[in-house]
Amino acid sequence: SILGIEHGRQKLELPAAKLNPPLLLNGTDLQELGLSSGPLFREILTQVRDAQLLGEFNDKATAIQWVQDRWPS
């Protein structure tokens, strides 16, 4: 659709740091939260990244709280 094309065009005009910002969390961060390493880490980190890219948060402290709310240790 035309709206989708325009949306894509607008996104491409954003700076690279906005389109692909640095990761906020990694596996070590999850271990420090008391979570056990394993296959769930990938799922958690994927969901954190998706939420980050959707603008739900943009800092590590908020990302940590987001994880703790969903996966209490």
Side-chain angles (χ1 to χ4, degrees):
S1 79
I2 293 175
L3 291 176
I5 293 170
E6 183 58 31
H7 177 75
R9 205 174 273 140
Q10 289 173 356
K11 291 293 183 188
L12 289 173
E13 291 173 1
L14 294 172
K18 181 83 171 166
L19 282 173
N20 189 23
L23 298 174
L24 295 173
L25 299 179
N26 59 38
T28 302
D29 297 315
L30 299 182
Q31 287 176 326
E32 289 174 358
L33 293 175
L35 297 167
S36 298
S37 60
L40 181 60
F41 270 30
R42 179 178 296 188
E43 179 63 27
I44 293 172
L45 293 172
T46 297
Q47 288 190 33
V48 167
R49 182 66 170 167
D50 289 348
Q52 176 187 5
L53 293 174
L54 289 171
E56 292 185 38
F57 46 76
N58 59 10
D59 63 271
K60 186 172 185 169
T62 307
I64 287 171
Q65 186 61 55
W66 190 90
V67 169
Q68 289 174 321
D69 290 346
R70 285 158 180 76
W71 293 277
S73 54

